[in-house]
Amino acid sequence: MSLVTVGSVAFDALETPFGKTDKIIGGAATYITLSASYFTEKNNLVAVVGDDFPQSMIDILESHGVDTQGLEIRKGEKTFFWSGKYHNDMNTRDTVEVQLNVMGDFDPKIPDAYQDCQYLMLGNTSPTVQRLVIERLHNRPKLIVLDTMNLWIEIANPDLMELLKLVDVLVVNDEEARQLTREYSLVRAAAKIREMGPNTVIIKKGEHGALLFQGDQIFFAPALPLEEVFDPTGAGDTFAGGFIGYLAQTDDSSFDNMKRAIIYGSAMASFCVEKFGAERIMNLTQEEIDARVREFIKLSAFGLV
Amino acid sequence: MSLVTVGSVAFDALETPFGKTDKIIGGAATYITLSASYFTEKNNLVAVVGDDFPQSMIDILESHGVDTQGLEIRKGEKTFFWSGKYHNDMNTRDTVEVQLNVMGDFDPKIPDAYQDCQYLMLGNTSPTVQRLVIERLHNRPKLIVLDTMNLWIEIANPDLMELLKLVDVLVVNDEEARQLTREYSLVRAAAKIREMGPNTVIIKKGEHGALLFQGDQIFFAPALPLEEVFDPTGAGDTFAGGFIGYLAQTDDSSFDNMKRAIIYGSAMASFCVEKFGAERIMNLTQEEIDARVREFIKLSAFGLV
């Protein structure tokens, strides 16, 4: 089924204990659409860049089947830029610099060809923009998944609370879940978030896996234990892309299928951290993904029935 | 099969955000033997207490089938005492007071009736005492499982390194694994620990579950997501008791059976944290344990083959 993804397409400059990059391609929607491209063929992007954004990168997205009709290129303006530096534990990072540029007044355009969208992924950007995308779709998609971040919880809380009423699934990390609800227990945090609107809550715990909450059901997906995390940038977006890509491909949003979607999302995220930026998820084969999913099965099956 | 457990039997005084206790019964071997008692009938304790230790508590251990012939009661001396205070996140704690008392020169006695021991659990105490227990058993047990803590890694490192050569399984938490190996990655830490001696390594991650490493195989056991952790004291020992109790009961130390043993250990630990001290694991039914294990199955099964 058709997927629409909105979010940032950006330049990132990264520094980790393993090295640093110049400006490379980043942004939530880049990671999400690349990751989803391994699952769904109708993969539509809504984003904005400046005319400094390289055509070669647009070509890479298109070669992955991403429809870029909804990628606005603003003449004479610059692409969103973020630079960050990871601490030695790779779990925490500092933002070194942010240049909003074209994201400062992002006005999302929905091409007519996207109007049949059944699955909508609201990648991390302001709640105002995320809401505009919902409003500009003529029909409500079957499933709306929302990602957000600490910044919006702090500076756009009322907008975010209104938006939460409109979505089916919220994907956040553990810190964001706690910040949003002021509950330390993730079980309680998920329950409070479900009172805010989303029927389903996914809490990402990085190297500790992810939790899926729906009704009184809980599912726990492990993360693959890795010798080395080279660069965690985009892992959460890659997870979300694999998750919604799998749901769009299978067109089944049951709890049981969401479990499988989370395993695929986790597998995609485990690739993402192996190289800088989106490099690894630009170059995956179906065989590699299937083999990685088999590792997850081995990792968590224990043969009690 | 017959299990011997060595470790502390102690008084604890605990303070958590939910309340505080006067002196209650604690100690690694208390939690381990109580937890193992739900699995194995030959459950032998090696420990030392002072004559201030209440007979009523010895009666409780015996009512759980724990053989206390190896529990030395020293006249005119006092039982080991520890008091600790948990921080608000319940993941970190400060030791408020330690009185070694009888543990200062613990000289473990192995009753003849324990000499047929097939499974040996070296609960947390000094590496010197743990080694003495191995030496005083006439035959090497089939499986020796070792627990230790940051204190011994710091102050008795050479003794601990010698001891590691003698054991099959090391059970530590993530911080201890990192401290012991100076590796941040738990995959690398486990590999280094296996070079130190143990064939199998279990790394406990508290609310994030546990990892089992053997050869190039990894298994990840989730922790049950809880609304509230009332008191984490003894959860790690309870986990170890369930793990080795299940192995002793089934008399199967294969990797596949260790996976199941870890699930049972995790289920036992999830009960432990529900009340202060060992109260909850003194009062469990087989039905409760079976139901909890079914929760773990639901929590982690995702139906991909």
Short mmCIF file of all heavy atoms in Angstrom, two decimals, chain B residues 194-238:
data_model
loop_
_atom_site.label_atom_id
_atom_site.label_comp_id
_atom_site.label_asym_id
_atom_site.label_seq_id
_atom_site.Cartn_x
_atom_site.Cartn_y
_atom_site.Cartn_z
N ARG B 194 35.12 -14.69 28.59
CA ARG B 194 35.25 -16.10 28.20
C ARG B 194 36.73 -16.49 28.05
O ARG B 194 37.10 -17.63 28.33
CB ARG B 194 34.44 -16.40 26.93
CG ARG B 194 32.92 -16.27 27.23
CD ARG B 194 32.04 -16.65 26.05
NE ARG B 194 32.23 -18.04 25.72
CZ ARG B 194 32.74 -18.47 24.56
NH1 ARG B 194 33.12 -17.61 23.64
NH2 ARG B 194 32.87 -19.76 24.34
N GLU B 195 37.56 -15.53 27.67
CA GLU B 195 39.01 -15.81 27.63
C GLU B 195 39.59 -15.98 29.03
O GLU B 195 40.64 -16.59 29.21
CB GLU B 195 39.76 -14.67 26.92
CG GLU B 195 39.55 -14.66 25.41
CD GLU B 195 40.10 -13.40 24.76
OE1 GLU B 195 40.86 -12.66 25.42
OE2 GLU B 195 39.74 -13.15 23.59
N MET B 196 38.90 -15.42 30.03
CA MET B 196 39.39 -15.53 31.42
C MET B 196 39.05 -16.89 32.03
O MET B 196 39.53 -17.19 33.12
CB MET B 196 38.75 -14.42 32.27
CG MET B 196 39.17 -13.01 31.87
SD MET B 196 38.19 -11.77 32.78
CE MET B 196 38.82 -10.25 32.01
N GLY B 197 38.17 -17.65 31.40
CA GLY B 197 37.85 -18.97 31.94
C GLY B 197 36.45 -19.48 31.68
O GLY B 197 36.28 -20.56 31.11
N PRO B 198 35.42 -18.72 32.07
CA PRO B 198 34.06 -19.27 31.96
C PRO B 198 33.67 -19.51 30.50
O PRO B 198 33.89 -18.64 29.66
CB PRO B 198 33.16 -18.18 32.56
CG PRO B 198 34.08 -17.29 33.31
CD PRO B 198 35.43 -17.38 32.68
N ASN B 199 33.10 -20.62 30.23
CA ASN B 199 32.61 -20.95 28.89
C ASN B 199 31.37 -20.13 28.54
O ASN B 199 31.12 -19.83 27.38
CB ASN B 199 32.28 -22.45 28.86
CG ASN B 199 31.70 -22.87 27.54
OD1 ASN B 199 32.22 -22.52 26.49
ND2 ASN B 199 30.60 -23.62 27.61
N THR B 200 30.63 -19.78 29.57
CA THR B 200 29.33 -19.11 29.40
C THR B 200 29.30 -17.85 30.26
O THR B 200 29.77 -17.87 31.39
CB THR B 200 28.19 -20.06 29.82
OG1 THR B 200 28.31 -21.27 29.06
CG2 THR B 200 26.82 -19.45 29.60
N VAL B 201 28.74 -16.79 29.70
CA VAL B 201 28.66 -15.52 30.43
C VAL B 201 27.23 -15.02 30.39
O VAL B 201 26.61 -15.00 29.31
CB VAL B 201 29.61 -14.46 29.82
CG1 VAL B 201 29.48 -13.13 30.54
CG2 VAL B 201 31.05 -14.95 29.85
N ILE B 202 26.72 -14.64 31.55
CA ILE B 202 25.40 -14.01 31.61
C ILE B 202 25.59 -12.58 32.11
O ILE B 202 26.18 -12.37 33.16
CB ILE B 202 24.46 -14.78 32.56
CG1 ILE B 202 24.21 -16.19 31.99
CG2 ILE B 202 23.14 -14.03 32.74
CD1 ILE B 202 23.46 -17.09 32.95
N ILE B 203 25.10 -11.63 31.32
CA ILE B 203 25.17 -10.23 31.74
C ILE B 203 23.76 -9.73 32.02
O ILE B 203 22.90 -9.70 31.14
CB ILE B 203 25.88 -9.36 30.68
CG1 ILE B 203 27.31 -9.88 30.45
CG2 ILE B 203 25.89 -7.89 31.12
CD1 ILE B 203 28.13 -9.08 29.45
N LYS B 204 23.55 -9.36 33.29
CA LYS B 204 22.25 -8.87 33.73
C LYS B 204 22.17 -7.37 33.48
O LYS B 204 23.10 -6.64 33.82
CB LYS B 204 22.06 -9.14 35.23
CG LYS B 204 22.08 -10.60 35.62
CD LYS B 204 22.09 -10.76 37.15
CE LYS B 204 23.40 -10.26 37.74
NZ LYS B 204 23.47 -10.40 39.21
N LYS B 205 21.05 -6.93 32.91
CA LYS B 205 20.89 -5.50 32.64
C LYS B 205 19.68 -4.93 33.39
O LYS B 205 19.10 -3.93 32.94
CB LYS B 205 20.74 -5.27 31.13
CG LYS B 205 21.90 -5.86 30.32
CD LYS B 205 22.01 -5.25 28.93
CE LYS B 205 20.78 -5.52 28.09
NZ LYS B 205 20.80 -4.75 26.82
N GLY B 206 19.31 -5.55 34.49
CA GLY B 206 18.21 -5.02 35.31
C GLY B 206 16.93 -4.92 34.52
O GLY B 206 16.50 -5.92 33.91
N GLU B 207 16.32 -3.75 34.50
CA GLU B 207 15.04 -3.58 33.81
C GLU B 207 15.14 -3.81 32.30
O GLU B 207 14.13 -3.89 31.60
CB GLU B 207 14.47 -2.18 34.06
CG GLU B 207 15.38 -1.08 33.51
CD GLU B 207 14.72 0.30 33.44
OE1 GLU B 207 13.53 0.40 33.11
OE2 GLU B 207 15.43 1.29 33.72
N HIS B 208 16.40 -3.89 31.78
CA HIS B 208 16.58 -4.11 30.34
C HIS B 208 16.82 -5.57 29.99
O HIS B 208 17.18 -5.89 28.87
CB HIS B 208 17.73 -3.26 29.82
CG HIS B 208 17.57 -1.79 30.05
ND1 HIS B 208 16.48 -1.10 29.56
CD2 HIS B 208 18.30 -0.90 30.75
CE1 HIS B 208 16.58 0.17 29.94
NE2 HIS B 208 17.67 0.31 30.65
N GLY B 209 16.66 -6.48 30.95
CA GLY B 209 16.79 -7.90 30.63
C GLY B 209 18.18 -8.45 30.88
O GLY B 209 18.96 -7.89 31.66
N ALA B 210 18.48 -9.54 30.21
CA ALA B 210 19.76 -10.22 30.41
C ALA B 210 20.23 -10.83 29.11
O ALA B 210 19.43 -11.20 28.25
CB ALA B 210 19.62 -11.30 31.48
N LEU B 211 21.56 -10.92 28.96
CA LEU B 211 22.17 -11.52 27.77
C LEU B 211 22.94 -12.77 28.19
O LEU B 211 23.65 -12.77 29.20
CB LEU B 211 23.13 -10.53 27.12
CG LEU B 211 22.50 -9.32 26.43
CD1 LEU B 211 23.54 -8.22 26.21
CD2 LEU B 211 21.87 -9.73 25.11
N LEU B 212 22.82 -13.80 27.38
CA LEU B 212 23.55 -15.06 27.59
C LEU B 212 24.50 -15.26 26.41
O LEU B 212 24.07 -15.22 25.25
CB LEU B 212 22.53 -16.21 27.64
CG LEU B 212 23.04 -17.65 27.54
CD1 LEU B 212 23.85 -18.04 28.78
CD2 LEU B 212 21.86 -18.61 27.37
N PHE B 213 25.76 -15.47 26.70
CA PHE B 213 26.78 -15.65 25.66
C PHE B 213 27.44 -17.01 25.82
O PHE B 213 27.88 -17.37 26.92
CB PHE B 213 27.88 -14.60 25.79
CG PHE B 213 27.44 -13.18 25.60
CD1 PHE B 213 26.97 -12.44 26.68
CD2 PHE B 213 27.49 -12.57 24.36
CE1 PHE B 213 26.57 -11.12 26.53
CE2 PHE B 213 27.10 -11.25 24.18
CZ PHE B 213 26.64 -10.52 25.28
N GLN B 214 27.54 -17.76 24.73
CA GLN B 214 28.28 -19.03 24.75
C GLN B 214 28.77 -19.28 23.32
O GLN B 214 27.97 -19.31 22.39
CB GLN B 214 27.38 -20.17 25.22
CG GLN B 214 28.14 -21.46 25.49
CD GLN B 214 27.19 -22.60 25.84
OE1 GLN B 214 26.72 -23.32 24.96
NE2 GLN B 214 26.90 -22.75 27.12
N GLY B 215 30.07 -19.46 23.16
CA GLY B 215 30.62 -19.59 21.80
C GLY B 215 30.20 -18.38 20.99
O GLY B 215 30.30 -17.24 21.47
N ASP B 216 29.72 -18.58 19.78
CA ASP B 216 29.27 -17.43 19.00
C ASP B 216 27.75 -17.26 19.08
O ASP B 216 27.15 -16.56 18.26
CB ASP B 216 29.71 -17.58 17.53
CG ASP B 216 29.16 -18.85 16.89
OD1 ASP B 216 28.49 -19.62 17.61
OD2 ASP B 216 29.41 -19.07 15.70
N GLN B 217 27.16 -17.89 20.10
CA GLN B 217 25.71 -17.77 20.26
C GLN B 217 25.36 -16.71 21.31
O GLN B 217 26.03 -16.61 22.33
CB GLN B 217 25.12 -19.11 20.69
CG GLN B 217 25.38 -20.23 19.70
CD GLN B 217 24.71 -21.52 20.16
OE1 GLN B 217 23.62 -21.83 19.74
NE2 GLN B 217 25.37 -22.26 21.03
N ILE B 218 24.30 -15.97 21.04
CA ILE B 218 23.80 -14.96 21.99
C ILE B 218 22.30 -15.16 22.16
O ILE B 218 21.59 -15.39 21.18
CB ILE B 218 24.04 -13.52 21.51
CG1 ILE B 218 25.50 -13.29 21.12
CG2 ILE B 218 23.65 -12.53 22.61
CD1 ILE B 218 25.78 -11.85 20.66
N PHE B 219 21.86 -15.07 23.40
CA PHE B 219 20.42 -15.08 23.68
C PHE B 219 20.08 -13.86 24.53
O PHE B 219 20.81 -13.51 25.45
CB PHE B 219 20.03 -16.35 24.42
CG PHE B 219 18.60 -16.36 24.90
CD1 PHE B 219 17.55 -16.35 24.00
CD2 PHE B 219 18.31 -16.38 26.26
CE1 PHE B 219 16.23 -16.34 24.45
CE2 PHE B 219 16.99 -16.39 26.71
CZ PHE B 219 15.95 -16.37 25.80
N PHE B 220 18.97 -13.25 24.20
CA PHE B 220 18.53 -12.07 24.93
C PHE B 220 17.22 -12.37 25.63
O PHE B 220 16.23 -12.71 24.97
CB PHE B 220 18.33 -10.92 23.94
CG PHE B 220 17.89 -9.64 24.58
CD1 PHE B 220 18.80 -8.63 24.84
CD2 PHE B 220 16.57 -9.45 24.95
CE1 PHE B 220 18.40 -7.45 25.45
CE2 PHE B 220 16.16 -8.28 25.57
CZ PHE B 220 17.09 -7.28 25.81
N ALA B 221 17.18 -12.26 26.94
CA ALA B 221 15.94 -12.45 27.70
C ALA B 221 15.44 -11.09 28.15
O ALA B 221 16.18 -10.33 28.78
CB ALA B 221 16.19 -13.33 28.92
N PRO B 222 14.19 -10.78 27.86
CA PRO B 222 13.66 -9.49 28.31
C PRO B 222 13.40 -9.51 29.82
O PRO B 222 13.28 -10.57 30.42
CB PRO B 222 12.33 -9.37 27.56
CG PRO B 222 11.90 -10.78 27.34
CD PRO B 222 13.17 -11.58 27.16
N ALA B 223 13.32 -8.34 30.40
CA ALA B 223 12.76 -8.22 31.75
C ALA B 223 11.29 -7.86 31.58
O ALA B 223 10.91 -7.25 30.58
CB ALA B 223 13.48 -7.16 32.55
N LEU B 224 10.47 -8.27 32.53
CA LEU B 224 9.05 -7.94 32.43
C LEU B 224 8.88 -6.44 32.71
O LEU B 224 9.33 -5.96 33.74
CB LEU B 224 8.28 -8.76 33.47
CG LEU B 224 6.80 -8.91 33.24
CD1 LEU B 224 6.52 -9.78 32.02
CD2 LEU B 224 6.14 -9.53 34.46
N PRO B 225 8.27 -5.70 31.78
CA PRO B 225 8.06 -4.27 32.05
C PRO B 225 7.05 -4.12 33.20
O PRO B 225 5.95 -4.67 33.13
CB PRO B 225 7.48 -3.74 30.73
CG PRO B 225 7.82 -4.76 29.69
CD PRO B 225 7.79 -6.07 30.43
N LEU B 226 7.46 -3.42 34.24
CA LEU B 226 6.63 -3.33 35.44
C LEU B 226 6.16 -1.90 35.66
O LEU B 226 6.88 -0.95 35.38
CB LEU B 226 7.44 -3.78 36.66
CG LEU B 226 7.91 -5.23 36.64
CD1 LEU B 226 8.92 -5.50 37.75
CD2 LEU B 226 6.72 -6.18 36.78
N GLU B 227 4.95 -1.79 36.20
CA GLU B 227 4.47 -0.45 36.54
C GLU B 227 5.31 0.15 37.64
O GLU B 227 5.54 1.35 37.70
CB GLU B 227 3.02 -0.55 37.04
CG GLU B 227 2.04 -0.52 35.92
CD GLU B 227 0.70 0.01 36.37
OE1 GLU B 227 0.62 0.80 37.33
OE2 GLU B 227 -0.28 -0.42 35.76
N GLU B 228 5.75 -0.72 38.54
CA GLU B 228 6.41 -0.21 39.73
C GLU B 228 7.44 -1.23 40.19
O GLU B 228 7.13 -2.41 40.29
CB GLU B 228 5.35 -0.06 40.82
CG GLU B 228 5.74 0.81 41.96
CD GLU B 228 4.50 1.18 42.74
OE1 GLU B 228 3.83 2.15 42.34
OE2 GLU B 228 4.18 0.49 43.72
N VAL B 229 8.66 -0.77 40.45
CA VAL B 229 9.65 -1.61 41.10
C VAL B 229 9.70 -1.14 42.55
O VAL B 229 10.09 -0.02 42.85
CB VAL B 229 11.03 -1.46 40.42
CG1 VAL B 229 12.12 -2.12 41.24
CG2 VAL B 229 10.98 -2.06 39.03
N PHE B 230 9.25 -2.00 43.43
CA PHE B 230 9.10 -1.60 44.82
C PHE B 230 10.44 -1.64 45.54
O PHE B 230 10.81 -0.73 46.29
CB PHE B 230 8.10 -2.53 45.50
CG PHE B 230 7.65 -2.05 46.84
CD1 PHE B 230 6.69 -1.06 46.93
CD2 PHE B 230 8.20 -2.57 48.00
CE1 PHE B 230 6.28 -0.59 48.18
CE2 PHE B 230 7.80 -2.11 49.24
CZ PHE B 230 6.84 -1.12 49.32
N ASP B 231 11.21 -2.72 45.32
CA ASP B 231 12.52 -2.86 45.96
C ASP B 231 13.36 -3.85 45.15
O ASP B 231 13.06 -5.03 45.14
CB ASP B 231 12.35 -3.36 47.40
CG ASP B 231 13.69 -3.74 48.03
OD1 ASP B 231 14.74 -3.22 47.58
OD2 ASP B 231 13.69 -4.55 48.98
N PRO B 232 14.41 -3.37 44.49
CA PRO B 232 15.22 -4.26 43.64
C PRO B 232 16.18 -5.16 44.41
O PRO B 232 16.83 -6.01 43.79
CB PRO B 232 16.01 -3.30 42.75
CG PRO B 232 15.72 -1.92 43.22
CD PRO B 232 14.88 -1.98 44.43
N THR B 233 16.28 -4.99 45.73
CA THR B 233 17.26 -5.78 46.49
C THR B 233 17.04 -7.27 46.26
O THR B 233 15.93 -7.77 46.38
CB THR B 233 17.13 -5.49 48.00
OG1 THR B 233 17.17 -4.08 48.20
CG2 THR B 233 18.26 -6.15 48.78
N GLY B 234 18.13 -7.96 45.92
CA GLY B 234 18.06 -9.41 45.79
C GLY B 234 17.56 -9.89 44.45
O GLY B 234 17.54 -11.10 44.20
N ALA B 235 17.19 -8.97 43.55
CA ALA B 235 16.64 -9.41 42.26
C ALA B 235 17.69 -10.22 41.47
O ALA B 235 17.35 -11.23 40.86
CB ALA B 235 16.16 -8.21 41.45
N GLY B 236 18.93 -9.76 41.50
CA GLY B 236 19.99 -10.47 40.77
C GLY B 236 20.23 -11.87 41.35
O GLY B 236 20.44 -12.84 40.61
N ASP B 237 20.21 -11.97 42.67
CA ASP B 237 20.40 -13.28 43.32
C ASP B 237 19.20 -14.20 43.06
O ASP B 237 19.36 -15.40 42.85
CB ASP B 237 20.60 -13.09 44.83
CG ASP B 237 21.83 -12.25 45.13
OD1 ASP B 237 22.89 -12.54 44.56
OD2 ASP B 237 21.72 -11.31 45.93
N THR B 238 18.02 -13.62 43.07
CA THR B 238 16.81 -14.40 42.78
C THR B 238 16.84 -14.93 41.35
O THR B 238 16.45 -16.08 41.10
CB THR B 238 15.57 -13.51 43.02
OG1 THR B 238 15.61 -13.06 44.37
CG2 THR B 238 14.29 -14.26 42.76
#
